[in-house]
């Protein structure tokens, strides 16, 4: 069965992306930074023939945006409605058969090797998570040989230091879980200054 990589993304429009970062560097600079980061991530992952890349974007009305048309190898779907957990679960459940890994769209250090490691862990585990140092996670993967836990993300306190712990606490007994590489996303100016490095000149 094919492997699937889902990039969970927002359409890079000024004022609609990286709002916490935009409060410090401005909406236009934040959207330019996010667009550069997103383009690099999509480009690297979509060139790898070991998996099929899906762009799962919000809002759904933006699927014909020019930024998505520049990546013809990636398939495009909308996130639809609901909180973050509901949207991620829907994306993982709706794919064709095969193991799937869902990643964030703002991970400067993300490379194909990190995704490959997550798939390797799915050879021995039902679920895999890539932790972030802020208590969240940048990756979730599922082997999908049996149905995804119905309430996998229920009750998670998103955008807090408890997000990953909440999700792990809700996983039913009998589901094996592994943790993959720890990477960081970019949420605010502190993350930007600490992690962004090579992207600073593009903001």
């Amino acid at each position: 069965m094919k492997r699937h990589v889902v990039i969970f993304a927002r359409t890079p429009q000024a004022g609609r992306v990286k709002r916490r970062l935009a409060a410090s560097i401005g909406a236009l600079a934040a959207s330019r930074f996010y667009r550069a980061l997103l383009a690099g991530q999509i480009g690297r992952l979509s060139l790898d023939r070991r998996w099929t890349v899906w762009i799962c974007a919000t809002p759904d009305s933006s699927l014909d945006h020019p930024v998505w048309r520049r990546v013809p190898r990636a398939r495009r779907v909308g996130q639809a409605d609901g909180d973050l957990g509901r949207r991620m679960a829907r994306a993982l459940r709706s794919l064709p058969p095969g193991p799937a890994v869902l990643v964030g769209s703002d991970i400067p250090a993300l490379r194909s090797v990190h995704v490959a490691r997550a798939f390797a862990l799915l050879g021995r585990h039902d679920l895999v998570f890539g932790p972030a140092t802020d208590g969240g996670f940048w990756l979730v993967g599922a082997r999908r040989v049996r149905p995804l836990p119905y309430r996998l993300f229920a009750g998670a306190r998103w955008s807090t230091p408890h997000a990953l712990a909440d999700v792990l606490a809700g996983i039913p007994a009998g589901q094996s879980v592994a943790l993959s590489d720890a990477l960081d996303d970019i949420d605010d100016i502190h993350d930007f200054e600490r992690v962004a490095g090579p992207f600073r000149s593009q903001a």
Side-chain angles (χ1 to χ4, degrees):
M1 290 185 289
K2 289 185 177 180
R3 295 171 170 180
H4 305 281
V5 175
V6 180
I7 299 176
F8 225 56
R10 287 185 176 273
T11 301
Q13 299 169 325
R16 304 189 70 169
V17 296
K18 294 291 142 204
R19 291 177 181 173
R20 279 188 280 171
L21 178 60
S24 298
I25 68 173
L28 185 58
S31 66
R32 285 175 176 167
F33 165 72
Y34 178 69
R35 183 189 291 259
L37 189 58
L38 176 63
Q41 187 167 309
I42 294 173
R44 287 189 297 273
L45 296 183
S46 63
L47 289 174
D48 200 307
R49 300 292 186 174
R50 289 175 289 180
W51 45 67
T52 298
V53 170
W54 300 75
I55 307 297
C56 191
T58 187
D60 289 12
S61 59
S62 69
L63 291 179
D64 288 328
H65 191 280
V67 71
W68 308 132
R69 293 201 296 267
R70 295 183 188 130
V71 283
R73 292 181 182 173
R75 305 183 185 188
R76 289 171 279 170
V77 295
Q79 292 183 19
D81 298 324
D83 70 5
L84 178 59
R86 188 178 298 273
R87 287 181 281 129
M88 289 194 298
R90 183 186 296 116
L92 289 172
R93 290 189 176 105
S94 64
L95 295 168
V101 163
L102 184 152
V103 299
S105 56
D106 53 357
I107 320 296
L110 177 58
R111 299 293 183 271
S112 290
V113 64
H114 301 110
V115 174
R117 285 177 189 151
F119 278 121
L121 289 169
L122 287 176
R124 307 185 302 275
H125 300 277
D126 297 304
L127 298 166
V128 61
F129 291 87
T133 56
D134 64 2
F137 54 96
W138 63 272
L139 174 149
V140 56
R143 184 162 50 175
R144 302 200 312 152
V145 295
R146 52 181 170 172
L148 210 65
Y150 178 70
R151 294 180 56 80
L152 176 60
F153 301 111
R157 288 169 284 180
W158 302 115
S159 301
T160 76
H162 311 288
L164 177 56
D166 288 346
V167 173
L168 293 177
I171 294 173
Q175 292 271 342
S176 60
V177 179
L179 296 181
S180 189
D181 301 278
L183 299 177
D184 285 309
D185 61 1
I186 305 293
D187 288 324
D188 55 29
I189 189 62
H190 302 293
D191 299 332
F192 182 70
E193 292 176 342
R194 177 172 53 87
V195 177
F199 296 91
R200 187 186 303 272
S201 63
Q202 301 177 41

